[in-house]
Amino acid sequence: RFPFRIESGQCRTYVAVGGPGLTNINVLVMMPDGTQAADATVEDIAIARGCSGTTGQAQVEIRAATGSGGVALQSFGPPH
Protein backbone atom coordinates (compact mmCIF):
# COMPACT_ATOMS: atom_id res chain seq x y z
CA ARG A 1 0.00 0.00 0.00
CA PHE A 2 1.12 3.51 -0.81
CA PRO A 3 -0.24 6.34 1.37
CA PHE A 4 -0.93 9.83 0.02
CA ARG A 5 -2.65 12.98 1.24
CA ILE A 6 -5.74 14.21 -0.58
CA GLU A 7 -7.88 17.31 -0.15
CA SER A 8 -11.67 17.36 0.01
CA GLY A 9 -13.19 17.41 -3.48
CA GLN A 10 -9.93 16.33 -5.12
CA CYS A 11 -9.74 13.43 -7.57
CA ARG A 12 -6.74 11.34 -8.61
CA THR A 13 -6.31 8.68 -11.27
CA TYR A 14 -3.85 5.81 -10.79
CA VAL A 15 -2.41 3.81 -13.66
CA ALA A 16 -0.42 0.63 -12.99
CA VAL A 17 1.43 -1.21 -15.75
CA GLY A 18 2.74 -4.72 -15.22
CA GLY A 19 6.11 -5.84 -16.51
CA PRO A 20 6.92 -9.14 -18.21
CA GLY A 21 5.30 -12.04 -16.37
CA LEU A 22 2.29 -10.09 -15.06
CA THR A 23 -0.88 -10.72 -17.01
CA ASN A 24 -3.43 -9.28 -14.57
CA ILE A 25 -2.90 -6.58 -11.96
CA ASN A 26 -5.45 -4.87 -9.73
CA VAL A 27 -5.47 -1.35 -8.32
CA LEU A 28 -7.61 -0.30 -5.35
CA VAL A 29 -7.85 3.33 -4.19
CA MET A 30 -9.13 3.87 -0.63
CA MET A 31 -10.15 7.45 0.24
CA PRO A 32 -10.23 8.91 3.77
CA ASP A 33 -14.03 9.27 3.61
CA GLY A 34 -14.36 5.48 3.11
CA THR A 35 -15.08 5.48 -0.62
CA GLN A 36 -13.14 3.06 -2.80
CA ALA A 37 -12.37 2.81 -6.49
CA ALA A 38 -10.97 -0.23 -8.28
CA ASP A 39 -10.10 -1.21 -11.82
CA ALA A 40 -12.43 -3.63 -13.59
CA THR A 41 -10.00 -5.05 -16.12
CA VAL A 42 -8.29 -8.41 -16.52
CA GLU A 43 -5.03 -7.34 -18.12
CA ASP A 44 -1.55 -6.04 -17.40
CA ILE A 45 -2.73 -2.40 -17.22
CA ALA A 46 -5.03 -1.22 -14.41
CA ILE A 47 -6.66 2.20 -14.04
CA ALA A 48 -8.64 3.43 -11.02
CA ARG A 49 -9.93 6.94 -10.29
CA GLY A 50 -10.98 8.08 -6.84
CA CYS A 51 -12.45 11.30 -5.47
CA SER A 52 -12.53 12.24 -1.80
CA GLY A 53 -15.25 14.00 0.16
CA THR A 54 -12.88 14.80 3.02
CA THR A 55 -9.27 15.88 3.49
CA GLY A 56 -6.95 13.24 4.88
CA GLN A 57 -4.76 10.20 4.32
CA ALA A 58 -5.71 7.89 1.45
CA GLN A 59 -4.05 4.74 0.13
CA VAL A 60 -3.53 2.99 -3.17
CA GLU A 61 -2.96 -0.76 -3.25
CA ILE A 62 -1.56 -2.80 -6.14
CA ARG A 63 -1.90 -6.59 -6.33
CA ALA A 64 -0.77 -9.15 -8.86
CA ALA A 65 -3.82 -11.26 -9.70
CA THR A 66 -2.08 -13.43 -12.30
CA GLY A 67 1.64 -13.83 -12.74
CA SER A 68 4.53 -12.10 -11.00
CA GLY A 69 6.99 -9.34 -11.75
CA GLY A 70 7.53 -5.61 -11.48
CA VAL A 71 4.89 -2.89 -11.67
CA ALA A 72 5.11 0.80 -12.56
CA LEU A 73 2.58 3.13 -10.88
CA GLN A 74 1.76 6.70 -11.93
CA SER A 75 -0.79 9.08 -10.44
CA PHE A 76 -2.51 11.92 -12.25
CA GLY A 77 -4.35 14.85 -10.71
CA PRO A 78 -3.76 18.28 -9.23
CA PRO A 79 -0.42 18.85 -7.49
CA HIS A 80 -0.29 17.91 -3.81
Side-chain angles (χ1 to χ4, degrees), residues 15-27 39 41-47 62-66 70-72:
V15 179
V17 179
L22 272 175
T23 56
N24 183 11
I25 55 176
N26 296 322
V27 172
D39 75 292
T41 63
V42 181
E43 55 188 90
D44 61 349
I45 298 174
I47 301 170
I62 306 167
R63 291 192 179 187
T66 307
V71 175

Side-chain angles (χ1 to χ4, degrees), residues 1-69:
R1 288 187 178 183
F2 301 94
F4 64 96
R5 181 164 174 76
I6 193 163
E7 301 296 322
S8 178
Q10 190 178 56
C11 298
R12 296 201 69 78
T13 300
Y14 288 87
V15 179
V17 179
L22 272 175
T23 56
N24 183 11
I25 55 176
N26 296 322
V27 172
L28 174 64
V29 181
M30 297 158 281
M31 294 297 173
D33 61 2
T35 59
Q36 295 185 349
D39 75 292
T41 63
V42 181
E43 55 188 90
D44 61 349
I45 298 174
I47 301 170
R49 182 174 190 265
C51 300
S52 183
T54 60
T55 297
Q57 190 78 12
Q59 294 188 33
V60 61
E61 180 177 285
I62 306 167
R63 291 192 179 187
T66 307
S68 63

